[in-house]
Amino acid sequence: MVGLAFVIHGLPKTQDPLGAVDMVQGIGFYPGWFWATALAATEFFGGLLLIAGFLTRPAAFATTIVLLVTVWFHWVQLGQGYKGAELSIIWASVTLFFALNGAGRYSVDRLIGREV
């Protein structure tokens, strides 16, 4: 489910990867074109990797970083505190779980011998 959520959330960004340039620069990530493209790729392709259970740990680690940035953005930059960052905290917990534990029994990683 977490992979599907990332694919759905990242799909519009892949269709216009430079559409988030102002947003990422607004929170201090320069050059914006690079970070906006990286955000789109991480959300969409990271989500696909999580769905398949392929390269699960790196994909989950990358998506956890994205989510921690959104926690900071909502909590600190927008001043919304826990209420604004709550969903990002929950999703970051889920992706961190997969980063630490891998995909599990029914994954491509397990099938090809990358997970024990």
Side-chain angles (χ1 to χ4, degrees), residues 2-24:
V2 70
L4 181 60
F6 265 102
V7 168
I8 291 169
H9 194 76
L11 181 60
K13 290 181 181 82
T14 62
Q15 295 167 342
D16 182 19
L18 300 181
V21 168
D22 291 337
M23 182 207 47
V24 296

Side-chain angles (χ1 to χ4, degrees), residues 6 15 18 20 27 29-30 42 45-46 50 52 58 61 64 89 92 103 105:
F6 265 102
Q15 295 167 342
L18 300 181
I27 59 175
F29 288 90
Y30 294 93
T42 301
F45 295 108
L50 290 172
F61 180 75
T64 300
I89 292 168
R105 183 179 304 175

Side-chain angles (χ1 to χ4, degrees), residues 71-93:
V71 168
W72 175 82
F73 174 71
H74 285 282
W75 198 307
V76 177
Q77 186 132 3
L78 295 181
Q80 297 173 335
Y82 177 78
K83 184 175 182 172
E86 181 179 15
L87 285 176
S88 293
I89 292 168
I90 292 167
W91 283 110
S93 300

